């Protein structure tokens, strides 16, 4: 089986012999389209590199990310400290690596909270129509009408500034577009003949939604999630910068900018290096997302 | 069933107003309860930790905090409808007066940013659509991709470093140089306008210079979005048959592009611009913190850090309300201006 995955003729066969072959053939074509897109590939590789950095942070770090050394504060990049040191003499390079864990962790947590909820709400509203649709979409509209950052700020301040509340706040303001998207997709699917066929075969609404509608909404949802990841990164960093995200000794990138801000004029690299890390991460996700959208969904150009 | 156009219009208006009211009610409800579950006791914020218990009790009653939450909400709602947002603990002013003081600074910043973004973004978008896949198009694409991905703190701090510290082209943070603070009587609240009314050109130029950097930073984000949307709309419009007809008639390329193609996307662009302006309000929060801009974003953030909940709720409501109105305007503009909808 594994050997076959490297057999191009098997993958690209016009008349696949099995479901598995068809599925893998489709995935291979997708990957081929995606790979041909230079920026998308760069984005993908960068995201993978970031993930590896986050996973292997303890191995790659040269110093303890929280160890202070006041004799060595605000050093420029050198052989001992590749990206210099911050205001408490902590190694910026090592902090960035651990910060990648926090940033990517927050992004994953938000997506894990938001995507299923948005998908479920959208599919239910779209499938049942009527009163469920009206109520659910009204709630969605209310949340869409909020200025996101401000709602999140108020929410975090009310609970307690910190990473968990930042994740919840971001999730709270991120789900409505997913619900809208899933609903729109569901509306186009629900009246299709094969759904009618499944229904006549006796499938319950729950089964139809879970097994026959949701899987078809996944494609556009994944694209949207990937494109959203960069805005989640920026969102988390902005909360951190305003003092409402991860709290101070934590090497969260936005928090690092905030604490090092006052050294901008003399030791500019201290606040700007974490900023560049945020920029790279968010660019990478955007480039990957654009590529995915082109490959999965050519009509949306 | 066809109804009289006026009736249709009225129905549409009624739906819009009622949905606005529902959303606004939701906004008040959510912000109020967020404001009340805050773990910091507002009474202790005012009196300090060592106040006598009977004093704490009395203030609690004066602020109405001893009543059940729904009653508190009802009182808040009643006051709100009379334009009373309560008092700020931090500034000891009425929140309404504070907002009147801070909000114009944000509007001034946002409007200048919007002008920058529109003036630069639309021509860039049109040009890159006309010369698709040219070097210019690629450059605009990269430019707007970066604009889409760069966090405001990075752009703000970076531009301060380059244009203020290194090049010395821009003045530092704040709305106006320290020596000019409070010299101009406030008429509109927009410092540049007030300075012109007072005939004080020195203050005007200083205030204008202070505006450039923060407005530029804010504008970059909106410009990225505006140019991308303009490009997409234009590519669509340029492929239309009426454009081909106009070309075949021998009209000049400039006339075809600006009058025929652009004329047809202008309505959709109004929507984009209104949405962008709403987005600017949010971007302003972070930008104001970086540039010490005394606007509503700074007021909100400082109130948050001090658990000054009346101020927080008031500022959140205001921004939410303006944001909603702009969204509504975007929607309405599309419906009214586009004869097909």
């Amino acid at each position: 089986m594994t050997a076959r995955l490297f057999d191009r003729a098997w993958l690209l066969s016009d008349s696949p012999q099995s479901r598995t072959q068809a599925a893998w053939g489709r995935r291979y074509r997708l990957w081929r389209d995606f790979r041909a897109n230079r920026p998308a590939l760069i984005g993908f590789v960068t995201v993978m590199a970031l993930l590896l950095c986050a996973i292997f942070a303890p191995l790659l770090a040269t110093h303890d990310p929280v160890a202070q050394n006041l004799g060595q504060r605000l050093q420029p990049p050198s052989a001992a400290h590749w990206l210099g040191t911050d205001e408490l003499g902590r190694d910026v390079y090592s902090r960035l690596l651990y910060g990648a864990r926090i940033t990517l962790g927050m992004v994953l947590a938000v997506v894990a909270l938001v995507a299923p909820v948005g998908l479920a709400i959208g599919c239910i509203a779209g499938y049942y129509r009527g009163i469920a649709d009206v109520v659910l979409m009204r709630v969605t509209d209310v949340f869409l009408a909020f200025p996101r950052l401000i709602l999140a700020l108020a929410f975090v301040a009310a609970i307690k500034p910190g990473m968990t509340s930042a994740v919840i706040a971001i999730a709270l303001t991120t789900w409505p577009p997913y619900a809208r998207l899933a609903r729109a997709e569901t509306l186009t699917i629900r009246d299709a003949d094969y759904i009618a066929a499944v229904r006549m075969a006796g499938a319950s609404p729950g089964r139809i939604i879970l097994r026959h509608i949701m899987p078809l909404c996944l494609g556009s949802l994944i694209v949207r999630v990937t494109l959203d990841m960069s805005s989640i990164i920026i969102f988390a960093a902005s909360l951190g910068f305003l003092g409402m995200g991860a709290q101070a000794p934590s090497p969260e990138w936005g928090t690092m900018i905030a604490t090092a801000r006052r050294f901008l004029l003399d030791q500019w690299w201290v606040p700007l290096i974490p900023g560049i890390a945020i920029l790279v991460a968010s660019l990478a996700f955007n480039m990957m997302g654009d590529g995915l959208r082109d490959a999965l969904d050519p009509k949306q150009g | 069933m066809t109804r009289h156009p006026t009736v249709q219009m009225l129905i549409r208006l009624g739906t819009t107003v009622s949905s606005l009211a529902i959303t606004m009610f939701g906004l008040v409800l959510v912000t109020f309860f967020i404001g009340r579950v805050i773990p910091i006791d507002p009474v202790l914020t005012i009196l300090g930790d060592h106040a006598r218990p009977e004093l704490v009790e009395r203030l609690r009653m004066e602020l109405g905090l001893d009543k059940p939450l729904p009653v508190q909400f009802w009182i808040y709602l009643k006051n709100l409808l009379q334009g009373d947002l309560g008092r700020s603990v931090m500034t000891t002013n009425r929140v309404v007066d504070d907002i009147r003081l801070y909000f114009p600074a944000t509007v001034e910043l946002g409007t200048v940013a919007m002008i920058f973004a529109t003036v630069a973004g639309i021509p860039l978008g049109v040009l890159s659509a006309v010369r698709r896949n040219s070097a210019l198009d690629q450059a605009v694409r990269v430019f707007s991709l970066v604009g889409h991905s760069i966090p405001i703190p990075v752009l703000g701090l970076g531009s301060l470093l380059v244009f203020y510290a290194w090049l010395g082209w821009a003045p530092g943070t704040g709305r106006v140089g320290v020596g000019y603070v409070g010299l101009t009587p406030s008429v509109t609240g927009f410092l540049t306008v007030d300075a012109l009314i007072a005939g004080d050109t020195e203050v005007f130029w200083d205030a204008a210079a202070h505006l450039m950097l923060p407005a530029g930073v804010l504008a970059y984000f909106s410009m990225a979005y505006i140019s991308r949307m303009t490009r997409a709309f234009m590519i669509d419009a340029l492929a239309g048959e009426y454009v081909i007809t106009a070309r075949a008639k021998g009209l000049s390329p400039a006339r075809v592009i600006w009058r025929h193609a652009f004329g047809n996307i202008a309505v959709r662009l109004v929507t984009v611009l209104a949405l962008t302006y709403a987005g600017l309000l949010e971007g302003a929060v972070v930008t104001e913190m970086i540039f010490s801009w005394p606007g509503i974003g700074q007021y909100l953030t400082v109130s948050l850090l001090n658990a000054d909940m009346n101020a927080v709720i008031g500022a959140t409501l205001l921004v939410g309300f303006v944001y909603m109105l702009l969204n509504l305007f975007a929607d309405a503009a599309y419906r009214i201006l586009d004869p097909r909808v």
Side-chain angles (χ1 to χ4, degrees), chain B residues 49-303:
Chain B
D49 287 340
H50 305 295
R52 292 204 311 275
E54 60 267 27
L55 209 62
V56 171
E57 211 40 53
R58 216 181 75 201
L59 188 67
R60 193 177 296 273
M61 269 162 73
E62 266 172 36
L63 293 175
L65 293 173
D66 55 333
K67 301 192 174 68
L69 267 187
V71 179
Q72 285 187 40
F73 180 63
W74 173 242
I75 296 173
Y76 188 84
L77 208 57
K78 255 196 336 206
N79 291 339
L80 179 71
L81 288 176
Q82 292 164 7
D84 180 8
L85 292 167
R87 233 168 234 289
S88 156
V89 177
M90 198 174 52
T91 63
T92 68
N93 298 327
R94 293 195 315 153
V95 173
V96 183
D97 295 333
D98 274 346
I99 285 176
R100 220 170 269 151
L101 201 66
Y102 285 93
F103 193 51
T106 302
V107 175
E108 194 178 23
L109 179 65
T111 309
V112 174
M114 195 64 206
I115 294 172
F116 285 177
T118 313
V119 167
I122 291 184
L124 276 181
V126 170
L127 275 182
S128 59
V130 172
R131 301 199 198 139
R132 224 173 140 184
N133 296 325
S134 65
L136 177 92
D137 185 24
Q138 297 295 345
V140 170
R141 248 201 183 140
V142 172
F143 186 67
S144 76
L145 179 67
V146 173
H148 199 58
S149 313
I150 194 167
I152 296 190
V154 178
L155 190 62
L157 294 176
S159 64
L160 260 181
L161 183 69
V162 173
F163 294 109
Y164 167 64
W166 289 353
L167 296 172
W169 290 357
T173 55
R175 224 177 153 192
V176 72
V178 185
Y180 298 120
V181 172
L183 285 186
T184 324
S186 173
V187 184
T188 56
F190 307 124
L191 197 55
T192 43
V193 180
D194 284 346
L196 282 184
I197 291 175
D200 196 338
T201 47
E202 219 176 306
V203 173
F204 172 77
W205 287 115
D206 192 66
H210 274 86
L211 258 172
M212 291 303 130
L213 216 49
V217 166
L218 258 183
Y220 184 28
F221 294 92
S222 329
M223 192 163 61
Y225 182 61
I226 292 175
S227 64
R228 207 179 48 224
M229 295 310 275
T230 312
R231 178 178 181 274
F233 292 163
M234 271 307 269
I235 287 176
D236 225 28
L238 285 173
E241 283 172 7
Y242 59 94
V243 169
I244 300 170
T245 313
R247 280 214 176 103
K249 281 197 326 195
L251 295 179
S252 71
R255 198 174 158 80
V256 173
I257 291 166
W258 288 105
R259 168 123 187 94
H260 292 260
F262 186 75
N264 271 290
I265 66 162
V267 171
R268 281 194 278 171
L269 274 183
V270 171
T271 312
V272 169
L273 292 184
L275 290 177
T276 315
Y277 199 68
L280 275 180
L281 276 177
E282 273 191 280
V285 176
V286 185
T287 313
E288 284 174 7
M289 287 309 283
I290 292 168
F291 289 94
S292 312
W293 192 263
I296 200 78
Q298 203 188 41
Y299 180 68
L300 178 71
T301 317
V302 175
S303 313

Side-chain angles (χ1 to χ4, degrees), chain A residues 138 141-142 144-151 153-155 157-159 230 234 238 241-242 244 257 261 264-265 268 271-272 275-276 278-279 282-283 286-287 290, chain B residues 19 22-23 26-27 30 34 37-39 145-146 148-151 153-154 157-158 160-161 164-166 282 285-286 289-290 300-301 304-305 316 319-320 323-324:
Chain A
R138 184 83 310 190
D141 282 345
V142 170
L144 267 180
F146 279 114
R148 289 179 60 187
L149 182 63
I150 291 176
L151 179 66
L153 277 177
F155 183 80
I159 306 236
S230 90
I234 293 183
S238 303
F241 177 76
L242 294 173
M244 293 288 157
I257 303 182
R261 229 188 108 176
L264 177 73
L265 296 186
W268 54 266
L272 284 190
I276 292 167
I278 303 172
L279 174 61
S282 111
L283 258 181
N286 262 333
M287 282 155 67
D290 279 338
Chain B
S19 81
I22 293 174
T23 319
L27 185 71
V30 172
I34 284 179
V37 296
I38 199 156
L145 179 67
V146 173
H148 199 58
S149 313
I150 194 167
V154 178
L157 294 176
L160 260 181
L161 183 69
Y164 167 64
W166 289 353
E282 273 191 280
V285 176
V286 185
M289 287 309 283
I290 292 168
L300 178 71
T301 317
L304 274 173
L305 294 174
T316 309
V319 177
Y323 189 84
M324 268 164 41

Side-chain angles (χ1 to χ4, degrees), chain A residues 29 50 52 55 66 88 96 125 146 164 193 208 223 231 267 282:
Chain A
R29 285 197 184 89
L50 278 171
L52 291 179
I55 295 170
V66 288
L88 295 173
L96 279 189
F146 279 114
T164 320
D193 288 342
I208 294 177
V223 171
S231 71
Q267 286 89 15
S282 111

Side-chain angles (χ1 to χ4, degrees), chain B residues 35-55:
Chain B
R36 283 300 181 262
V37 296
I38 199 156
I40 303 166
D41 191 335
V43 175
L44 294 185
T45 326
I46 301 172
L47 295 176
D49 287 340
H50 305 295
R52 292 204 311 275
E54 60 267 27
L55 209 62

